[in-house]
Amino acid sequence: MTTLTNTQVLELKSYINGKWVTADNTVDIINPATQQVIAIAPRMTKNQTEQAITAARTAFDNGEWAKTTAQERAAILHKIANKIEESFEEFVTLETMDNGKVYGEAEGDIQDTIACFRYYAGIILHPDGETYPVPDDVQAMVVKEPVGVAGLIVPWNFPLLMSAWKIAPALAAGNTIVYKPAEITPVTAFKLFEIIDEVGLPEGVANMVLGQGSIIGQTISESNDVDMVSFTGSTEVGRGIMRAAAGNLKKISLELGGKSPNIIFADADFETAVDYGLFGIFVGSGQVCSSGSRILVQDTIYDDYVKRYVERAEKIKVGPGLAKDSHMGAIVSEAQMNSILGYIEKGKEEGATLLTGGHRLTENGLDEGFFLAPTVFADVTQDMTIVREEIFGPVVTIQKFSTEEEAVRLANDTDYGLAGAVFSNDGAKALRVIKQVRAGITWVNDYHPTYVEAPWGGYKQSGIGRSLGKYSLEEFQEVKQINIRLNVAPVGWFPQ
Ligand code: NAP
Ligand code: MG
Protein backbone atom coordinates (compact mmCIF):
# COMPACT_ATOMS: atom_id res chain seq x y z
CA MET A 1 0.00 0.00 0.00
CA THR A 2 1.09 3.55 -0.62
CA THR A 3 1.76 5.43 2.60
CA LEU A 4 1.46 9.12 3.29
CA THR A 5 4.21 11.03 5.04
CA ASN A 6 3.76 14.58 6.25
CA THR A 7 5.19 16.15 3.12
CA GLN A 8 3.81 13.74 0.56
CA VAL A 9 0.69 14.33 -1.47
CA LEU A 10 -1.22 11.19 -2.44
CA GLU A 11 -2.37 10.93 -6.03
CA LEU A 12 -5.77 9.32 -5.92
CA LYS A 13 -7.39 7.42 -8.74
CA SER A 14 -10.79 5.98 -9.45
CA TYR A 15 -11.29 2.23 -9.86
CA ILE A 16 -13.42 1.16 -12.82
CA ASN A 17 -13.75 -2.37 -14.21
CA GLY A 18 -10.70 -3.55 -12.26
CA LYS A 19 -8.44 -0.74 -13.48
CA TRP A 20 -7.13 2.48 -11.95
CA VAL A 21 -8.27 5.53 -13.90
CA THR A 22 -7.75 9.28 -13.70
CA ALA A 23 -9.49 12.33 -15.15
CA ASP A 24 -8.42 15.56 -16.84
CA ASN A 25 -9.75 17.66 -13.97
CA THR A 26 -8.52 17.25 -10.43
CA VAL A 27 -9.27 18.73 -7.03
CA ASP A 28 -7.01 19.30 -4.01
CA ILE A 29 -7.94 17.38 -0.87
CA ILE A 30 -7.01 19.27 2.27
CA ASN A 31 -6.58 18.60 5.96
CA PRO A 32 -9.14 20.98 7.50
CA ALA A 33 -6.98 21.34 10.62
CA THR A 34 -4.10 22.90 8.64
CA GLN A 35 -5.35 23.49 5.07
CA GLN A 36 -2.33 21.41 3.97
CA VAL A 37 -2.98 19.58 0.69
CA ILE A 38 -2.86 15.85 1.51
CA ALA A 39 -4.06 14.42 -1.80
CA ILE A 40 -5.07 15.23 -5.35
CA ALA A 41 -8.22 13.53 -6.56
CA PRO A 42 -9.62 13.15 -10.06
CA ARG A 43 -13.02 14.61 -10.91
CA MET A 44 -14.56 11.92 -13.04
CA THR A 45 -16.98 12.79 -15.83
CA LYS A 46 -20.51 11.65 -16.55
CA ASN A 47 -19.12 9.48 -19.32
CA GLN A 48 -16.66 7.76 -16.97
CA THR A 49 -19.45 7.22 -14.45
CA GLU A 50 -21.48 5.53 -17.18
CA GLN A 51 -18.48 3.29 -17.92
CA ALA A 52 -18.41 2.25 -14.26
CA ILE A 53 -22.15 1.51 -14.34
CA THR A 54 -21.71 -0.56 -17.52
CA ALA A 55 -18.85 -2.47 -15.89
CA ALA A 56 -21.01 -3.24 -12.85
CA ARG A 57 -23.98 -4.18 -15.08
CA THR A 58 -21.86 -6.56 -17.17
CA ALA A 59 -20.24 -8.08 -14.08
CA PHE A 60 -23.65 -8.68 -12.55
CA ASP A 61 -25.33 -9.97 -15.69
CA ASN A 62 -22.55 -12.44 -16.53
CA GLY A 63 -23.39 -14.04 -13.21
CA GLU A 64 -19.86 -14.82 -12.13
CA TRP A 65 -20.11 -12.89 -8.84
CA ALA A 66 -23.77 -13.54 -8.04
CA LYS A 67 -23.11 -17.28 -8.43
CA THR A 68 -20.18 -17.38 -6.02
CA THR A 69 -20.98 -19.25 -2.85
CA ALA A 70 -21.64 -17.36 0.36
CA GLN A 71 -18.44 -18.96 1.70
CA GLU A 72 -16.41 -17.45 -1.13
CA ARG A 73 -17.87 -13.98 -0.59
CA ALA A 74 -17.40 -14.26 3.18
CA ALA A 75 -13.73 -15.16 2.66
CA ILE A 76 -13.22 -12.02 0.57
CA LEU A 77 -14.89 -9.81 3.18
CA HIS A 78 -12.66 -11.35 5.87
CA LYS A 79 -9.61 -10.63 3.73
CA ILE A 80 -10.68 -6.99 3.39
CA ALA A 81 -11.20 -6.73 7.17
CA ASN A 82 -7.82 -8.30 7.90
CA LYS A 83 -5.98 -6.02 5.51
CA ILE A 84 -7.62 -2.91 6.98
CA GLU A 85 -6.56 -4.18 10.41
CA GLU A 86 -2.95 -4.68 9.22
CA SER A 87 -2.89 -0.99 8.18
CA PHE A 88 -4.97 0.18 11.13
CA GLU A 89 -2.82 3.15 12.17
CA GLU A 90 -2.44 4.37 8.62
CA PHE A 91 -6.20 4.32 8.13
CA VAL A 92 -6.76 6.15 11.42
CA THR A 93 -4.18 8.80 10.60
CA LEU A 94 -5.54 9.37 7.10
CA GLU A 95 -9.14 9.59 8.33
CA THR A 96 -8.05 12.13 10.96
CA MET A 97 -6.20 14.23 8.36
CA ASP A 98 -8.94 14.01 5.74
CA ASN A 99 -11.98 14.73 7.91
CA GLY A 100 -10.53 16.77 10.78
CA LYS A 101 -11.94 14.61 13.56
CA VAL A 102 -9.78 13.72 16.57
CA TYR A 103 -7.59 10.62 16.43
CA GLY A 104 -9.55 8.73 19.09
CA GLU A 105 -12.79 9.15 17.12
CA ALA A 106 -11.09 7.93 13.94
CA GLU A 107 -9.81 4.88 15.84
CA GLY A 108 -13.39 4.02 16.73
CA ASP A 109 -14.47 4.51 13.11
CA ILE A 110 -11.83 2.15 11.73
CA GLN A 111 -12.51 -0.48 14.42
CA ASP A 112 -16.21 -0.32 13.54
CA THR A 113 -15.36 -0.56 9.84
CA ILE A 114 -13.43 -3.79 10.41
CA ALA A 115 -16.24 -5.15 12.58
CA CYS A 116 -18.76 -4.32 9.86
CA PHE A 117 -16.92 -6.34 7.17
CA ARG A 118 -16.61 -9.28 9.60
CA TYR A 119 -20.26 -9.08 10.62
CA TYR A 120 -21.50 -9.35 7.02
CA ALA A 121 -18.97 -12.10 6.32
CA GLY A 122 -20.64 -13.96 9.19
CA ILE A 123 -24.31 -13.21 8.61
CA ILE A 124 -24.22 -14.20 4.94
CA LEU A 125 -23.38 -17.73 6.08
CA HIS A 126 -26.71 -17.90 7.92
CA PRO A 127 -29.35 -17.65 5.19
CA ASP A 128 -32.96 -17.66 6.36
CA GLY A 129 -35.10 -18.85 3.47
CA GLU A 130 -38.64 -20.12 4.07
CA THR A 131 -40.87 -22.94 2.91
CA TYR A 132 -44.67 -22.98 3.19
CA PRO A 133 -47.29 -25.67 3.28
CA VAL A 134 -49.78 -24.61 0.56
CA PRO A 135 -52.71 -26.39 -1.17
CA ASP A 136 -52.61 -28.07 -4.59
CA ASP A 137 -49.64 -30.38 -4.10
CA VAL A 138 -47.24 -27.48 -4.46
CA GLN A 139 -44.02 -27.00 -2.58
CA ALA A 140 -43.60 -23.24 -2.00
CA MET A 141 -40.37 -21.62 -0.95
CA VAL A 142 -38.93 -18.15 -0.58
CA VAL A 143 -35.36 -17.38 -1.61
CA LYS A 144 -33.27 -14.23 -1.43
CA GLU A 145 -31.24 -12.98 -4.39
CA PRO A 146 -29.00 -9.97 -4.97
CA VAL A 147 -30.78 -6.83 -6.23
CA GLY A 148 -28.21 -6.35 -9.01
CA VAL A 149 -26.18 -3.18 -9.57
CA ALA A 150 -26.13 -1.09 -6.40
CA GLY A 151 -25.15 2.60 -6.40
CA LEU A 152 -23.61 3.61 -3.07
CA ILE A 153 -23.35 7.32 -2.24
CA VAL A 154 -21.82 8.44 1.07
CA PRO A 155 -21.11 11.68 3.00
CA TRP A 156 -17.91 13.09 4.52
CA ASN A 157 -18.60 12.82 8.25
CA PHE A 158 -17.62 9.15 8.68
CA PRO A 159 -15.91 8.61 5.32
CA LEU A 160 -14.80 4.99 5.67
CA LEU A 161 -17.40 3.76 8.15
CA MET A 162 -20.40 4.99 6.09
CA SER A 163 -18.79 3.29 3.08
CA ALA A 164 -18.37 0.00 4.96
CA TRP A 165 -22.02 0.12 6.08
CA LYS A 166 -22.95 -0.11 2.38
CA ILE A 167 -20.08 -1.96 0.68
CA ALA A 168 -20.00 -4.89 3.13
CA PRO A 169 -23.70 -5.88 2.93
CA ALA A 170 -23.92 -5.08 -0.81
CA LEU A 171 -21.03 -7.41 -1.67
CA ALA A 172 -22.08 -10.04 0.90
CA ALA A 173 -25.47 -10.27 -0.83
CA GLY A 174 -23.80 -10.75 -4.24
CA ASN A 175 -24.45 -7.35 -5.81
CA THR A 176 -22.02 -5.41 -7.96
CA ILE A 177 -21.39 -1.83 -6.89
CA VAL A 178 -20.72 1.68 -8.15
CA TYR A 179 -19.53 3.61 -5.13
CA LYS A 180 -19.07 7.36 -4.74
CA PRO A 181 -17.38 8.75 -1.63
CA ALA A 182 -17.86 12.42 -0.70
CA GLU A 183 -15.62 14.51 -2.92
CA ILE A 184 -13.90 16.25 0.00
CA THR A 185 -13.01 13.04 1.93
CA PRO A 186 -11.91 10.37 -0.58
CA VAL A 187 -8.57 9.31 0.94
CA THR A 188 -9.53 6.26 3.00
CA ALA A 189 -11.91 5.22 0.21
CA PHE A 190 -8.93 5.10 -2.12
CA LYS A 191 -6.97 3.06 0.47
CA LEU A 192 -9.88 0.65 0.79
CA PHE A 193 -9.90 0.16 -2.96
CA GLU A 194 -6.17 -0.57 -2.97
CA ILE A 195 -7.18 -3.47 -0.72
CA ILE A 196 -10.19 -4.40 -2.83
CA ASP A 197 -7.85 -4.52 -5.84
CA GLU A 198 -5.72 -7.12 -4.02
CA VAL A 199 -8.39 -9.52 -2.76
CA GLY A 200 -9.40 -11.04 -6.08
CA LEU A 201 -12.87 -9.76 -6.92
CA PRO A 202 -13.89 -10.39 -10.55
CA GLU A 203 -13.49 -7.32 -12.82
CA GLY A 204 -16.32 -4.81 -12.59
CA VAL A 205 -17.77 -6.11 -9.31
CA ALA A 206 -16.56 -3.15 -7.24
CA ASN A 207 -16.17 0.25 -8.88
CA MET A 208 -15.26 3.54 -7.20
CA VAL A 209 -15.88 6.84 -8.97
CA LEU A 210 -14.35 9.95 -7.39
CA GLY A 211 -15.75 13.44 -7.89
CA GLN A 212 -18.86 15.56 -7.63
CA GLY A 213 -22.27 14.44 -6.44
CA SER A 214 -24.09 16.63 -8.93
CA ILE A 215 -22.42 14.66 -11.75
CA ILE A 216 -21.55 11.19 -10.46
CA GLY A 217 -24.28 10.81 -7.84
CA GLN A 218 -26.87 12.19 -10.22
CA THR A 219 -25.78 9.86 -13.06
CA ILE A 220 -25.96 6.84 -10.75
CA SER A 221 -29.38 7.85 -9.42
CA GLU A 222 -30.84 8.40 -12.90
CA SER A 223 -29.33 5.36 -14.63
CA ASN A 224 -31.65 2.67 -15.93
CA ASP A 225 -28.79 0.18 -15.50
CA VAL A 226 -28.67 0.70 -11.73
CA ASP A 227 -31.15 -1.41 -9.72
CA MET A 228 -30.77 0.27 -6.37
CA VAL A 229 -29.33 3.39 -4.75
CA SER A 230 -28.23 3.40 -1.15
CA PHE A 231 -27.61 6.98 -0.04
CA THR A 232 -26.44 8.62 3.17
CA GLY A 233 -26.44 12.41 3.28
CA SER A 234 -28.70 15.41 3.53
CA THR A 235 -32.49 15.30 3.33
CA GLU A 236 -32.39 17.79 0.45
CA VAL A 237 -30.13 15.64 -1.75
CA GLY A 238 -32.09 12.55 -0.65
CA ARG A 239 -35.27 14.09 -2.03
CA GLY A 240 -33.50 14.68 -5.37
CA ILE A 241 -32.30 11.06 -5.46
CA MET A 242 -35.84 9.84 -4.87
CA ARG A 243 -37.00 11.87 -7.88
CA ALA A 244 -34.10 10.71 -10.06
CA ALA A 245 -34.71 7.09 -9.06
CA ALA A 246 -38.30 7.27 -10.32
CA GLY A 247 -37.17 6.79 -13.94
CA ASN A 248 -36.72 3.03 -13.63
CA LEU A 249 -38.37 2.76 -10.18
CA LYS A 250 -35.10 1.63 -8.66
CA LYS A 251 -35.04 0.56 -5.05
CA ILE A 252 -33.85 3.31 -2.70
CA SER A 253 -32.45 3.40 0.79
CA LEU A 254 -32.04 6.87 2.30
CA GLU A 255 -30.20 7.69 5.54
CA LEU A 256 -30.74 11.42 6.00
CA GLY A 257 -30.46 14.24 8.48
CA GLY A 258 -31.72 14.73 12.01
CA LYS A 259 -32.53 17.22 14.78
CA SER A 260 -32.60 14.82 17.65
CA PRO A 261 -33.97 15.46 21.15
CA ASN A 262 -32.07 14.55 24.31
CA ILE A 263 -34.59 14.63 27.18
CA ILE A 264 -33.26 15.15 30.70
CA PHE A 265 -35.68 14.55 33.60
CA ALA A 266 -35.06 16.02 37.06
CA ASP A 267 -34.65 12.51 38.48
CA ALA A 268 -31.76 11.66 36.12
CA ASP A 269 -28.26 11.11 37.44
CA PHE A 270 -27.20 14.74 37.13
CA GLU A 271 -23.53 14.43 36.18
CA THR A 272 -24.26 11.56 33.78
CA ALA A 273 -26.93 13.63 32.07
CA VAL A 274 -24.60 16.62 31.71
CA ASP A 275 -21.79 14.38 30.42
CA TYR A 276 -23.92 12.69 27.75
CA GLY A 277 -25.49 16.03 26.89
CA LEU A 278 -22.01 17.19 25.88
CA PHE A 279 -21.03 13.89 24.25
CA GLY A 280 -24.27 13.82 22.26
CA ILE A 281 -23.48 17.03 20.38
CA PHE A 282 -19.75 17.82 20.56
CA VAL A 283 -18.34 14.47 19.45
CA GLY A 284 -17.48 14.79 15.77
CA SER A 285 -17.82 18.57 16.26
CA GLY A 286 -21.57 17.99 15.93
CA GLN A 287 -21.19 16.76 12.36
CA VAL A 288 -23.01 13.55 13.20
CA CYS A 289 -26.45 12.77 11.79
CA SER A 290 -27.69 11.38 15.11
CA SER A 291 -26.33 14.29 17.23
CA GLY A 292 -28.40 15.24 20.26
CA SER A 293 -28.68 18.83 19.06
CA ARG A 294 -31.81 19.70 21.09
CA ILE A 295 -31.42 19.18 24.82
CA LEU A 296 -34.73 19.36 26.70
CA VAL A 297 -34.33 19.79 30.46
CA GLN A 298 -37.00 19.63 33.17
CA ASP A 299 -37.65 23.06 34.72
CA THR A 300 -36.72 22.19 38.33
CA ILE A 301 -33.09 21.42 37.39
CA TYR A 302 -32.84 23.65 34.30
CA ASP A 303 -30.71 26.45 35.78
CA ASP A 304 -28.29 24.05 37.50
CA TYR A 305 -28.04 21.92 34.36
CA VAL A 306 -27.29 24.88 32.07
CA LYS A 307 -24.68 26.28 34.48
CA ARG A 308 -22.84 22.98 34.81
CA TYR A 309 -23.17 22.28 31.06
CA VAL A 310 -21.58 25.60 30.06
CA GLU A 311 -18.79 25.14 32.63
CA ARG A 312 -17.97 21.73 31.11
CA ALA A 313 -18.35 22.92 27.49
CA GLU A 314 -15.76 25.63 28.13
CA LYS A 315 -13.23 22.99 29.20
CA ILE A 316 -13.37 21.19 25.84
CA LYS A 317 -10.01 21.61 24.13
CA VAL A 318 -10.50 22.23 20.43
CA GLY A 319 -7.54 21.43 18.20
CA PRO A 320 -6.02 19.39 15.38
CA GLY A 321 -7.12 15.77 15.33
CA LEU A 322 -3.55 14.49 15.35
CA ALA A 323 -2.69 16.40 18.57
CA LYS A 324 -3.31 13.82 21.28
CA ASP A 325 -4.69 16.40 23.73
CA SER A 326 -7.48 17.67 21.43
CA HIS A 327 -10.98 16.77 22.59
CA MET A 328 -12.82 18.18 19.58
CA GLY A 329 -11.44 18.49 16.06
CA ALA A 330 -11.85 20.74 13.05
CA ILE A 331 -14.93 21.42 10.94
CA VAL A 332 -14.63 19.45 7.70
CA SER A 333 -14.41 22.42 5.33
CA GLU A 334 -14.49 26.20 5.15
CA ALA A 335 -17.93 26.03 3.51
CA GLN A 336 -19.31 23.89 6.35
CA MET A 337 -17.76 26.22 8.94
CA ASN A 338 -19.35 29.26 7.28
CA SER A 339 -22.70 27.51 7.11
CA ILE A 340 -22.54 26.79 10.88
CA LEU A 341 -21.50 30.42 11.61
CA GLY A 342 -24.52 31.52 9.55
CA TYR A 343 -26.83 29.49 11.79
CA ILE A 344 -25.19 31.01 14.89
CA GLU A 345 -25.87 34.53 13.54
CA LYS A 346 -29.46 33.54 12.78
CA GLY A 347 -29.86 32.23 16.34
CA LYS A 348 -28.74 35.57 17.76
CA GLU A 349 -30.92 37.56 15.33
CA GLU A 350 -33.99 35.52 16.22
CA GLY A 351 -33.47 36.26 19.91
CA ALA A 352 -31.85 33.16 21.42
CA THR A 353 -29.33 33.74 24.23
CA LEU A 354 -25.78 32.71 23.35
CA LEU A 355 -24.28 31.31 26.55
CA THR A 356 -20.85 30.31 25.29
CA GLY A 357 -18.90 29.92 22.02
CA GLY A 358 -20.47 31.21 18.84
CA HIS A 359 -17.24 32.05 17.05
CA ARG A 360 -14.28 30.72 15.09
CA LEU A 361 -11.15 29.84 17.08
CA THR A 362 -7.92 31.35 15.78
CA GLU A 363 -5.46 31.40 18.68
CA ASN A 364 -2.44 29.06 19.03
CA GLY A 365 -2.24 28.30 15.31
CA LEU A 366 -5.89 27.30 14.96
CA ASP A 367 -6.27 30.05 12.33
CA GLU A 368 -4.53 27.61 9.95
CA GLY A 369 -7.64 25.45 9.99
CA PHE A 370 -11.41 25.59 10.48
CA PHE A 371 -12.18 25.44 14.19
CA LEU A 372 -15.29 26.51 16.07
CA ALA A 373 -15.88 26.90 19.81
CA PRO A 374 -18.49 24.61 21.39
CA THR A 375 -21.62 26.74 21.21
CA VAL A 376 -24.60 26.71 23.58
CA PHE A 377 -27.89 28.59 23.12
CA ALA A 378 -30.66 28.99 25.71
CA ASP A 379 -34.01 30.83 25.72
CA VAL A 380 -35.01 29.30 22.41
CA THR A 381 -38.52 28.75 21.04
CA GLN A 382 -39.84 26.05 18.71
CA ASP A 383 -40.13 28.40 15.74
CA MET A 384 -36.45 29.44 15.73
CA THR A 385 -34.28 28.30 12.83
CA ILE A 386 -31.64 26.88 15.19
CA VAL A 387 -34.30 24.66 16.79
CA ARG A 388 -35.85 23.51 13.49
CA GLU A 389 -32.94 23.03 11.05
CA GLU A 390 -30.04 20.62 11.15
CA ILE A 391 -26.94 22.77 11.77
CA PHE A 392 -24.45 19.89 11.55
CA GLY A 393 -21.91 21.60 13.79
CA PRO A 394 -21.00 22.07 17.47
CA VAL A 395 -24.12 24.06 18.31
CA VAL A 396 -26.69 22.94 20.88
CA THR A 397 -29.93 24.45 22.13
CA ILE A 398 -31.09 23.82 25.71
CA GLN A 399 -34.85 24.13 26.21
CA LYS A 400 -37.05 23.90 29.29
CA PHE A 401 -40.07 21.63 29.84
CA SER A 402 -42.21 20.96 32.88
CA THR A 403 -44.31 17.82 32.31
CA GLU A 404 -43.69 14.46 30.67
CA GLU A 405 -46.33 15.30 28.04
CA GLU A 406 -44.58 18.55 27.19
CA ALA A 407 -41.23 16.77 26.83
CA VAL A 408 -42.74 14.31 24.34
CA ARG A 409 -44.50 17.08 22.42
CA LEU A 410 -41.33 19.18 22.07
CA ALA A 411 -39.25 16.10 21.20
CA ASN A 412 -41.59 15.18 18.34
CA ASP A 413 -42.17 18.72 17.06
CA THR A 414 -39.69 18.31 14.18
CA ASP A 415 -39.70 17.18 10.55
CA TYR A 416 -36.96 14.71 11.41
CA GLY A 417 -37.06 11.40 13.28
CA LEU A 418 -33.58 9.97 13.33
CA ALA A 419 -32.54 9.63 16.99
CA GLY A 420 -33.41 10.56 20.55
CA ALA A 421 -32.59 9.84 24.18
CA VAL A 422 -34.12 10.00 27.64
CA PHE A 423 -32.24 10.41 30.92
CA SER A 424 -34.15 9.38 34.06
CA ASN A 425 -33.69 7.03 37.00
CA ASP A 426 -37.38 6.09 36.83
CA GLY A 427 -37.22 3.05 34.55
CA ALA A 428 -40.92 2.93 33.75
CA LYS A 429 -41.04 6.63 32.87
CA ALA A 430 -37.90 6.39 30.73
CA LEU A 431 -39.37 3.51 28.74
CA ARG A 432 -42.80 5.18 28.52
CA VAL A 433 -41.26 8.35 27.11
CA ILE A 434 -38.74 6.77 24.72
CA LYS A 435 -41.53 4.66 23.22
CA GLN A 436 -43.36 7.87 22.34
CA VAL A 437 -40.36 9.50 20.66
CA ARG A 438 -40.92 9.17 16.89
CA ALA A 439 -37.37 8.19 15.91
CA GLY A 440 -35.54 5.08 14.70
CA ILE A 441 -32.45 5.16 16.93
CA THR A 442 -32.98 5.75 20.64
CA TRP A 443 -31.20 5.46 23.95
CA VAL A 444 -32.04 5.47 27.65
CA ASN A 445 -29.37 6.91 29.97
CA ASP A 446 -26.96 6.79 27.03
CA TYR A 447 -26.19 8.63 23.81
CA HIS A 448 -24.55 7.66 20.51
CA PRO A 449 -23.30 4.07 20.75
CA THR A 450 -24.11 2.15 17.57
CA TYR A 451 -23.98 -1.59 17.19
CA VAL A 452 -23.58 -3.35 13.85
CA GLU A 453 -26.24 -5.88 14.88
CA ALA A 454 -28.99 -3.25 15.25
CA PRO A 455 -30.98 -1.41 12.55
CA TRP A 456 -29.93 2.17 11.83
CA GLY A 457 -32.30 4.63 10.20
CA GLY A 458 -34.95 7.26 10.63
CA TYR A 459 -38.66 8.00 10.79
CA LYS A 460 -40.27 10.94 8.96
CA GLN A 461 -37.84 13.02 6.85
CA SER A 462 -34.79 11.25 8.27
CA GLY A 463 -35.02 8.57 5.64
CA ILE A 464 -36.36 5.35 4.20
CA GLY A 465 -35.07 1.91 5.10
CA ARG A 466 -32.56 0.63 7.63
CA SER A 467 -28.80 0.08 7.57
CA LEU A 468 -26.86 -2.50 9.58
CA GLY A 469 -27.92 -5.82 11.05
CA LYS A 470 -29.94 -8.24 8.98
CA TYR A 471 -31.96 -5.25 7.78
CA SER A 472 -29.19 -3.94 5.55
CA LEU A 473 -28.56 -7.35 4.03
CA GLU A 474 -32.28 -7.56 3.24
CA GLU A 475 -32.18 -4.11 1.60
CA PHE A 476 -29.54 -5.42 -0.78
CA GLN A 477 -31.62 -8.50 -1.59
CA GLU A 478 -34.66 -9.25 -3.70
CA VAL A 479 -37.21 -11.74 -2.38
CA LYS A 480 -38.50 -14.45 -4.71
CA GLN A 481 -41.19 -17.07 -4.27
CA ILE A 482 -40.74 -20.39 -6.08
CA ASN A 483 -43.75 -22.71 -6.42
CA ILE A 484 -43.00 -26.27 -7.53
CA ARG A 485 -45.83 -28.57 -8.54
CA LEU A 486 -45.10 -32.00 -7.13
CA ASN A 487 -47.70 -33.75 -9.24
CA VAL A 488 -46.97 -32.88 -12.90
CA ALA A 489 -50.28 -32.84 -14.83
CA PRO A 490 -52.33 -30.38 -16.99
CA VAL A 491 -54.35 -27.81 -15.06
CA GLY A 492 -57.52 -28.78 -17.01
CA TRP A 493 -59.18 -25.32 -16.71
CA PHE A 494 -59.96 -24.90 -20.44
CA PRO A 495 -61.61 -27.45 -22.69
CA GLN A 496 -59.34 -30.01 -24.40
P1 NAP B 1 -24.84 15.77 1.03
O1 NAP B 1 -24.46 17.11 0.60
O2 NAP B 1 -26.23 15.33 0.88
O3 NAP B 1 -23.86 14.76 0.28
C1 NAP B 1 -23.87 13.37 0.48
C2 NAP B 1 -23.35 12.69 -0.76
O4 NAP B 1 -24.26 12.91 -1.85
C3 NAP B 1 -22.01 13.21 -1.23
O5 NAP B 1 -21.26 12.14 -1.75
C4 NAP B 1 -22.44 14.19 -2.31
O6 NAP B 1 -21.44 14.49 -3.26
C5 NAP B 1 -23.57 13.43 -2.95
N1 NAP B 1 -24.44 14.26 -3.78
C6 NAP B 1 -24.52 15.62 -3.84
N2 NAP B 1 -25.42 16.00 -4.78
C7 NAP B 1 -25.93 14.86 -5.32
C8 NAP B 1 -26.91 14.59 -6.31
N3 NAP B 1 -27.55 15.56 -6.96
N4 NAP B 1 -27.19 13.30 -6.60
C9 NAP B 1 -26.58 12.30 -5.95
N5 NAP B 1 -25.63 12.49 -5.01
C10 NAP B 1 -25.31 13.77 -4.68
O7 NAP B 1 -24.51 15.55 2.56
P2 NAP B 1 -23.16 15.93 3.27
O8 NAP B 1 -23.15 17.41 3.40
O9 NAP B 1 -22.02 15.28 2.60
O10 NAP B 1 -23.36 15.19 4.69
C11 NAP B 1 -24.11 15.72 5.73
C12 NAP B 1 -25.53 15.17 5.76
O11 NAP B 1 -25.53 13.76 5.82
C13 NAP B 1 -26.27 15.61 6.98
O12 NAP B 1 -27.57 16.01 6.63
C14 NAP B 1 -26.33 14.37 7.85
O13 NAP B 1 -27.39 14.34 8.74
C15 NAP B 1 -26.41 13.30 6.84
N6 NAP B 1 -25.95 12.02 7.38
C16 NAP B 1 -26.88 11.07 7.69
C17 NAP B 1 -26.49 9.86 8.24
C18 NAP B 1 -27.50 8.81 8.61
O14 NAP B 1 -27.11 7.69 8.87
N7 NAP B 1 -28.79 9.11 8.62
C19 NAP B 1 -25.13 9.60 8.45
C20 NAP B 1 -24.21 10.58 8.12
C21 NAP B 1 -24.64 11.79 7.58
P3 NAP B 1 -20.34 15.66 -3.01
O15 NAP B 1 -19.12 14.90 -2.75
O16 NAP B 1 -20.27 16.46 -4.26
O17 NAP B 1 -20.82 16.48 -1.84
MG1 MG C 1 -22.02 18.26 0.76
Side-chain angles (χ1 to χ4, degrees), residues 478-495:
E478 287 283 11
V479 178
K480 176 185 281 179
Q481 56 168 300
I482 302 178
N483 301 294
I484 308 158
R485 184 162 290 281
L486 302 177
N487 182 1
V488 181
V491 59
W493 184 268
F494 295 111

Side-chain angles (χ1 to χ4, degrees), residues 156 182 184 234 237 336:
W156 43 256
I184 58 173
S234 61
V237 173
Q336 182 66 13

Side-chain angles (χ1 to χ4, degrees), residues 172-494:
N175 299 280
T176 62
I177 63 170
V178 181
Y179 155 66
K180 189 204 109 56
E183 174 158 52
I184 58 173
T185 55
V187 177
T188 48
F190 172 72
K191 289 281 148 191
L192 174 66
F193 268 71
E194 285 191 324
I195 287 172
I196 284 179
D197 184 46
E198 290 168 7
V199 296
L201 285 170
E203 258 176 23
V205 167
N207 305 276
M208 173 184 61
V209 188
L210 300 179
Q212 300 150 282
S214 54
I215 294 172
I216 297 155
Q218 190 71 26
T219 304
I220 291 170
S221 308
E222 284 172 357
S223 172
N224 285 343
D225 282 330
V226 173
D227 301 297
M228 167 177 181
V229 171
S230 175
F231 169 78
T232 300
S234 61
T235 294
E236 189 194 339
V237 173
R239 239 186 282 282
I241 286 176
M242 198 167 178
R243 274 191 289 269
N248 68 336
L249 291 173
K250 62 174 68 64
K251 193 171 179 179
I252 50 171
S253 165
L254 305 174
E255 299 284 348
L256 310 175
K259 192 74 186 172
S260 301
N262 191 356
I263 306 167
I264 318 289
F265 282 99
D267 60 9
D269 185 274
F270 184 80
E271 286 298 328
T272 301
V274 172
D275 198 57
Y276 275 105
L278 295 158
F279 187 69
I281 181 70
F282 296 126
V283 76
S285 304
Q287 303 166 112
V288 179
C289 53
S290 52
S291 284
S293 50
R294 292 188 296 135
I295 301 181
L296 310 175
V297 183
Q298 199 153 25
D299 48 8
T300 52
I301 61 160
Y302 183 84
D303 291 343
D304 291 343
Y305 187 92
V306 167
K307 182 167 175 282
R308 180 71 178 133
Y309 191 92
V310 169
E311 186 181 295
R312 292 266 328 259
E314 287 174 351
K315 287 189 190 152
I316 294 173
K317 183 156 197 268
V318 181
L322 289 179
K324 292 285 157 69
D325 61 346
S326 299
H327 304 134
M328 192 178 101
I331 303 303
V332 74
S333 66
E334 188 165 20
Q336 182 66 13
M337 180 182 71
N338 289 335
S339 157
I340 298 164
L341 285 168
Y343 276 110
I344 292 170
E345 282 316 303
K346 194 108 191 160
K348 290 193 279 190
E349 273 165 35
E350 291 181 2
T353 306
L354 176 65
L355 294 178
T356 187
H359 54 86
R360 186 174 178 178
L361 295 168
T362 52
E363 313 239 298
N364 304 319
L366 295 190
D367 58 328
E368 304 276 313
F370 312 125
F371 293 94
L372 291 178
T375 297
V376 182
F377 277 106
D379 304 322
V380 294
T381 52
Q382 278 307 105
D383 56 339
M384 288 183 182
T385 309
I386 57 169
V387 174
R388 303 221 70 87
E389 293 186 18
E390 183 183 50
I391 299 173
F392 225 56
V395 181
V396 73
T397 58
I398 310 186
Q399 267 173 286
K400 201 186 283 185
F401 70 87
S402 55
T403 63
E404 198 177 308
E405 293 67 32
E406 190 186 3
V408 170
R409 185 174 57 72
L410 291 173
N412 288 334
D413 182 14
T414 168
D415 292 338
Y416 292 109
L418 191 60
V422 173
F423 284 78
S424 167
N425 276 336
D426 176 342
K429 178 167 69 184
L431 185 56
R432 194 163 65 231
V433 171
I434 206 67
K435 283 187 74 177
Q436 294 174 77
V437 172
R438 299 279 299 156
I441 306 153
T442 65
W443 298 278
V444 171
N445 293 322
D446 201 352
Y447 209 101
H448 268 332
T450 309
Y451 304 99
V452 68
E453 295 85 353
W456 179 275
Y459 290 17
K460 302 198 271 183
Q461 295 187 31
S462 289
I464 298 176
R466 292 292 179 272
S467 297
L468 298 182
K470 64 175 182 177
Y471 304 88
S472 197
L473 193 64
E474 285 169 1
E475 285 200 326
F476 285 105
Q477 290 174 321
E478 287 283 11
V479 178
K480 176 185 281 179
Q481 56 168 300
I482 302 178
N483 301 294
I484 308 158
R485 184 162 290 281
L486 302 177
N487 182 1
V488 181
V491 59
W493 184 268
F494 295 111

Side-chain angles (χ1 to χ4, degrees), residues 71 82 87 92 116 232 321 416 434 482:
Q71 280 88 347
N82 293 345
S87 301
V92 175
C116 182
T232 300
Y416 292 109
I434 206 67
I482 302 178

